[in-house]
């Protein structure tokens, strides 16, 4: 017996029930298509995106509808404000807002769908010179985003100083829970002491996307050369110290390769990689809101190759 899809979005109170609901697309797809109809938008051949945290459906090949559960309403606020503020300010295409609204307490955005191939599909296959080239472009893109004025993002919560204090307080508990090896946990208190001095808390903040990772950008190939062709997913945007946005590409893409690390940092605008910068990046990597070293550092055998956090920072950022 099949259940009739509800025409109302439920009141979900935790991440587990949200995951279960999101994976049962027959329950919510009719509502998504009704939202599209209400704006007079094409809703034939919808494509449900299986990954991510929100309800996301492609409407034809031109539009995407993102429906945000109330418990992730902050992501809606970040995405909406970031897309509005960055519109026309970057050399790289980003989605544009076509429509927005609320259904049963769930805010939603209809945005344009960008052309290109998902970075995660292409990145593993690229030769080393192309990886270095793309990391330079990513560094340049991060710097370009950070040159944009904050606008309404100046009021986004949490504020940087409060966010960092909270991350520092929960840092040891988080990494113990995630199974970080004792030899790295041993250096955590020293690193957090350094972090309080190394990470600016009251410097003029910049826009931080939080996740410059292959799943969040699109690539295009021209005559055998791959280039960045689009950036999307602005639900984790906050404002704060600029180096925070180097962590995603450092962990997921640079993989401790000197040429890649150099390209990323030079694209961003850093010409020297000294102990202070490595130490600050190591601290920020442990304090990142998505920090999970065991699953995020893409360096073969790094747990065995580094004896402590000092050796680990030299492994991730060589040179």
């Amino acid at each position: 017996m099949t259940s009739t899809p509800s025409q109302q979005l439920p009141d979900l109170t935790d991440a587990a029930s949200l995951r279960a609901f999101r994976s049962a697309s027959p329950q919510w797809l009719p509502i998504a298509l009704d939202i599209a109809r209400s704006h007079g938008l094409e809703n034939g051949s919808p494509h449900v995106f299986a990954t991510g945290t929100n309800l996301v459906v492609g409407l034809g090949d031109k539009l995407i509808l993102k429906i945000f559960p109330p418990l992730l309403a902050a992501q809606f606020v970040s995405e909406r404000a970031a897309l509005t503020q960055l519109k026309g300010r970057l050399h790289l295409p980003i989605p544009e807002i076509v429509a927005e609204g609320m259904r049963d307490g769930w805010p939603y955005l209809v945005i344009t769908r960008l052309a290109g191939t998902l970075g995660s599909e292409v990145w593993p296959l690229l030769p080393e010179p192309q990886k270095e080239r793309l990391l330079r472009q990513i560094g340049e893109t991060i710097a370009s985003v950070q040159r944009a004025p904050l606008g309404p993002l100046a009021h986004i919560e949490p504020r940087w100083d409060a966010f960092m204090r909270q991350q520092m307080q929960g840092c040891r508990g988080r990494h113990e829970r995630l199974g970080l090896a004792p030899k790295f946990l041993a250096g955590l208190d020293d690193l957090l002491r350094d972090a309080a001095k190394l990470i600016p808390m009251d410097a003029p903040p910049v826009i931080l996307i939080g996740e410059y990772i292959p799943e969040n950008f699109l690539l295009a190939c021209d005559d055998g050369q791959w280039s960045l062709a689009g950036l999307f997913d602005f639900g984790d945007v906050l404002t704060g110290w600029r180096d925070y946005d180097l962590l995603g590409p450092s962990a997921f893409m640079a993989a401790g390769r000197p040429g890649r690390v150099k390209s990323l940092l030079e694209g961003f605008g850093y010409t020297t990689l000294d102990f202070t910068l490595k130490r600050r990046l190591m601290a920020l990597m442990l304090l990142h809101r998505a920090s999970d070293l065991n699953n995020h550092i893409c360096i073969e055998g790094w747990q065995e190759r580094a004896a402590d956090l000092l050796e680990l920072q030299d492994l991730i950022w060589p040179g």
Side-chain angles (χ1 to χ4, degrees), residues 242-312:
R242 60 195 305 246
D243 293 359
Y244 185 81
D245 266 350
L246 291 169
L247 305 177
S250 291
F252 287 95
M253 303 175 74
R257 302 284 188 96
R260 294 191 206 174
V261 170
K262 185 170 184 284
S263 295
L264 172 67
L265 294 179
E266 284 181 358
F268 182 68
Y270 281 152
T271 50
T272 54
L273 176 57
D274 58 15
F275 176 83
T276 301
L277 178 55
K278 290 186 195 188
R279 191 72 169 156
R280 183 162 65 233
L281 290 171
M282 189 72 249
L284 285 167
M285 187 171 275
L286 284 151
L287 294 168
H288 193 282
R289 61 164 41 139
S291 181
D292 179 0
L293 269 57
N294 288 335
N295 286 311
H296 292 168
I297 295 178
C298 297
I299 300 174
E300 191 82 28
W302 65 268
Q303 286 100 330
E304 291 73 44
R305 290 167 61 188
D308 53 29
L309 289 177
L310 286 168
E311 288 190 8
L312 183 57

Side-chain angles (χ1 to χ4, degrees), residues 110-122:
V110 179
I111 56 177
T112 53
R113 189 169 183 171
L114 304 177
T117 306
L118 198 60
S120 51
E121 292 176 16
V122 179

Side-chain angles (χ1 to χ4, degrees), residues 66-135:
K66 290 185 78 167
I67 310 174
F68 300 78
L71 62 110
L72 295 178
Q75 287 197 6
F76 167 79
V77 172
S78 289
E79 180 115 18
R80 182 179 180 274
L83 290 177
T84 303
Q85 185 60 14
L86 292 173
K87 182 180 180 180
R89 296 185 191 273
L90 306 181
H91 63 284
L92 198 63
I94 61 171
E96 292 193 19
I97 298 172
V98 173
E100 61 181 275
M102 183 88 74
R103 173 68 70 97
D104 305 322
W106 294 51
Y108 63 81
L109 291 172
V110 179
I111 56 177
T112 53
R113 189 169 183 171
L114 304 177
T117 306
L118 198 60
S120 51
E121 292 176 16
V122 179
W123 178 257
L125 312 172
L126 294 178
E128 200 61 24
Q130 295 223 24
K131 288 184 171 174
E132 291 180 10
R133 182 169 177 271
L134 277 168
L135 277 163

Side-chain angles (χ1 to χ4, degrees), residues 122-262:
V122 179
W123 178 257
L125 312 172
L126 294 178
E128 200 61 24
Q130 295 223 24
K131 288 184 171 174
E132 291 180 10
R133 182 169 177 271
L134 277 168
L135 277 163
R136 184 176 297 276
Q137 291 179 4
I138 289 168
E140 291 166 354
T141 299
I142 296 170
S144 169
V145 169
Q146 294 185 356
R147 283 193 293 272
L150 298 186
L153 290 167
H155 308 293
I156 216 100
E157 297 288 347
R159 301 297 176 93
W160 177 250
D161 55 345
F163 172 64
M164 273 291 113
R165 277 199 301 273
Q166 183 184 8
Q167 295 302 100
M168 286 177 184
Q169 284 165 7
C171 185
R172 174 170 288 279
R174 176 189 184 92
H175 291 291
E176 284 175 348
R177 213 167 44 246
L178 292 170
L180 188 62
K183 64 180 178 180
F184 300 123
L185 288 170
L188 209 50
D189 291 341
D190 287 342
L191 186 65
L192 290 173
R193 247 195 319 276
D194 289 352
K197 299 190 285 283
L198 289 171
I199 300 169
M201 295 296 174
D202 51 7
V206 297
I207 297 172
L208 302 172
I209 303 298
E211 290 197 311
Y212 285 92
I213 56 176
E215 289 79 5
N216 289 351
F217 53 74
L218 294 163
L219 303 177
C221 189
D222 181 27
D223 200 22
Q225 290 283 332
W226 287 89
S227 298
L228 277 186
L231 185 66
F232 63 94
D233 195 352
F234 296 85
D236 290 318
V237 165
L238 68 159
T239 64
W241 179 247
R242 60 195 305 246
D243 293 359
Y244 185 81
D245 266 350
L246 291 169
L247 305 177
S250 291
F252 287 95
M253 303 175 74
R257 302 284 188 96
R260 294 191 206 174
V261 170
K262 185 170 184 284

Side-chain angles (χ1 to χ4, degrees), residues 35 47 148:
I35 290 171
H47 169 72

